[in-house]
Amino acid sequence: MSAQRLLVDVHTHVYLPRYAAFLRTRSSVPRIFTRPSPESGKPEERLLILDDEPSSGRPIGAQYWERDEKLKFMDRHAIDVSVVSSANPWLDFLPASTAHTLATELNTDLETYCSAGPSLSDTLKRLYGFGLLPLVPGATTASLISTVEQIAALPHLKGVIMGTRGLGNGLDDAALEPVWAALEAARLVVFLHPHYGVDKHAWGDKENGHVLPLALGFPFETTIATTRLVLAGVFDRYPGLRVLLAHSGGALPQLSSRLASCVAHDPLVAARLQHDARYYLGKLYFDAVAYGAEELGFVSDAIGRADKYASAGASAAASSAKGTDGTAQKRLGAQRMLFGTDHPFFPPLSESEKWKSVVENLEAIDGVYGWDEADKDAVRGGNAIALFNLGS
Ligand code: URA
Ligand code: ZN
């Protein structure tokens, strides 16, 4: 099959057996615990990872840790390649020395998970991964840089997944500068993923299960973290840094002109950035985990106009976006969007051959007005092959 026609899942998670075993030893969140199933009375494992989620947590099973289950899921949905990442909350809750040791071990585990898995061809495996950095309060620069170096040396790890807390002060913390520099130099992709949501008081006291934190809290967390990165000038200082945003960047595309206006009216920040805030959308990558064609189309439109907002003379590419019609702009934006599933989260509630979360994301790509077949192929897999430099 041509590399341009592959289906590549860039947003797909695992709790590696070592991590799941660790969660089973814990008595506070995050933890995995066993309870009798309310239906059958048989013991069943449950996952509790969010501070304020219902105390019954969520069902968890082999889909979260068994490589064969990941491959079965991929086969069932015709996914050729997955770039697998540890699921939240990563190592965020651990003391620095434990986080460093566990990161090192889990990175080696993930390399084995990928390398011992099947291949599609002599040069292309079915599984690649994002490693983990020990990003916790008190982590030393030396520990972070040595873990970047470890990941860069593992052939199947193509990036790192990280949450939004950094060393405890967010991702615009000056202490992270050496980390951005090292990730840029190592050409590792940063997959920025939420975990904490926003202030739980925003949700009121009605019981709405996981809906509000997952549907709104997660994407707003990503929106805020990415905006802080932009405002700190990180993309000006590290133009080669490649950051992939979970859930299509949350609300950032929708709010980017408002953001640009607020920056332009604020002398403190306006002087700090080299470009209009909208420009930075064109420096980012967005997964296509938005579940709707209109949303994907909108995001691609917002990304595709980014070069129009380069400061004068800054970008030769700027002129290519200027004067294009809306369709050309959306097609340009599609070059930075990548298919994902969020597996094994969002399993179907009743027996079904295919997962609704996957089918909806594929249908969304297929239905974007203004994208042609080449654009859709790029979003389904071609962009991932290029971004992660797979198969060469
Ligand atoms: N819920 C989570 O906690 N993490 C995900 O990645 C998706 C859903
Ligand atoms: Zn996810």
Side-chain angles (χ1 to χ4, degrees):
M1 185 188 286
S2 144
Q4 295 314 310
R5 302 296 307 275
L6 295 173
L7 186 59
V8 182
D9 184 355
V10 304
H11 189 155
T12 179
H13 299 297
V14 64
Y15 287 124
L16 288 162
R18 185 190 301 274
Y19 187 87
F22 184 69
L23 290 190
R24 287 191 191 97
T25 66
R26 290 176 52 82
S27 54
S28 57
V29 175
R31 61 188 289 237
I32 294 173
F33 66 97
T34 304
R35 67 164 196 193
S37 154
E39 286 86 40
S40 67
K42 291 195 186 135
E44 65 172 17
E45 287 198 309
R46 307 284 297 182
L47 173 71
L48 206 44
I49 47 172
L50 305 177
D51 276 334
D52 302 306
E53 71 186 320
S55 61
S56 55
R58 310 178 221 183
I60 187 167
Q63 268 151 348
Y64 280 80
W65 44 79
E66 290 284 341
R67 183 179 51 212
D68 280 353
E69 292 293 325
K70 181 70 78 187
L71 290 164
K72 263 193 241 164
F73 166 82
M74 290 166 63
D75 289 342
R76 187 181 296 182
H77 296 91
I79 295 168
D80 298 292
V81 177
S82 288
V83 189
V84 178
S85 48
S86 285
N88 49 301
W90 314 287
L91 308 167
D92 285 24
F93 54 96
L94 294 171
S97 64
T98 318
H100 180 89
T101 308
L102 203 51
T104 309
E105 292 169 348
L106 290 168
N107 290 333
T108 308
D109 291 351
L110 186 57
E111 172 62 25
T112 307
Y113 176 101
C114 300
S115 62
S119 303
L120 276 181
S121 71
D122 287 350
T123 54
L124 194 61
K125 298 289 291 183
R126 292 199 71 191
L127 297 168
Y128 294 90
F130 290 100
L132 283 173
L133 298 180
L135 277 167
V136 296
T140 62
T141 302
S143 141
L144 292 163
I145 301 302
S146 76
T147 314
V148 171
E149 286 166 358
Q150 179 210 11
I151 294 169
L154 293 172
H156 296 87
L157 301 197
K158 301 295 176 185
V160 299
I161 183 165
M162 68 170 69
T164 59
R165 289 220 167 155
L167 302 174
N169 294 317
L171 299 181
D172 50 5
D173 186 347
L176 292 176
E177 293 287 302
V179 178
W180 303 130
L183 290 166
E184 181 189 51
R187 305 274 307 143
L188 290 171
V189 175
V190 176
F191 182 19
L192 181 56
H193 192 289
H195 171 68
Y196 299 95
V198 297
D199 181 0
K200 65 174 178 181
H201 295 106
W203 307 139
D205 52 18
K206 279 229 166 14
E207 178 51 83
N208 287 308
H210 288 90
V211 170
L212 289 168
L214 292 185
L216 305 183
F218 266 34
F220 275 109
E221 179 189 352
T222 308
T223 306
I224 294 166
T226 312
T227 303
R228 285 175 57 177
L229 273 179
V230 168
L231 296 186
V234 168
F235 298 105
D236 288 329
R237 286 190 297 287
Y238 306 102
L241 184 64
R242 299 174 307 158
V243 177
L244 168 65
L245 301 181
H247 314 120
S248 297
L252 186 61
Q254 170 67 40
L255 295 176
S256 54
S257 289
R258 181 170 175 82
L259 173 65
S261 175
C262 291
V263 170
H265 288 90
D266 195 317
L268 184 75
V269 187
R272 196 196 294 155
L273 292 184
Q274 286 179 13
H275 305 276
D276 180 288
R278 285 165 283 199
Y279 167 81
Y280 299 98
L281 266 69
K283 299 283 119 196
L284 295 161
Y285 295 85
F286 297 72
D287 76 19
V289 183
Y291 308 94
E294 290 77 5
E295 286 82 356
L296 294 185
F298 175 79
V299 172
S300 68
D301 215 356
I303 304 170
R305 71 179 178 180
D307 271 345
K308 290 181 186 172
Y309 295 101
S311 63
S315 165
S319 56
S320 68
K322 279 200 181 103
T324 57
D325 63 22
T327 300
Q329 190 167 290
K330 283 169 82 173
R331 297 194 55 205
L332 198 61
Q335 302 307 307
R336 288 184 167 264
M337 300 184 69
L338 301 91
F339 168 72
T341 64
D342 230 338
H343 178 260
F345 294 102
F346 306 112
L349 294 185
S350 54
E351 212 43 54
S352 72
E353 169 67 11
K354 298 213 169 158
W355 290 35
K356 183 176 165 63
S357 51
V358 181
V359 172
E360 281 180 345
N361 279 316
L362 285 172
E363 284 176 356
I365 294 170
D366 204 37
V368 177
Y369 178 79
W371 289 2
D372 69 14
E373 276 312 305
D375 302 323
K376 293 173 189 175
D377 283 338
V379 176
R380 284 190 281 252
N383 294 341
I385 299 287
L387 178 64
F388 298 104
N389 194 23
L390 304 181
S392 55

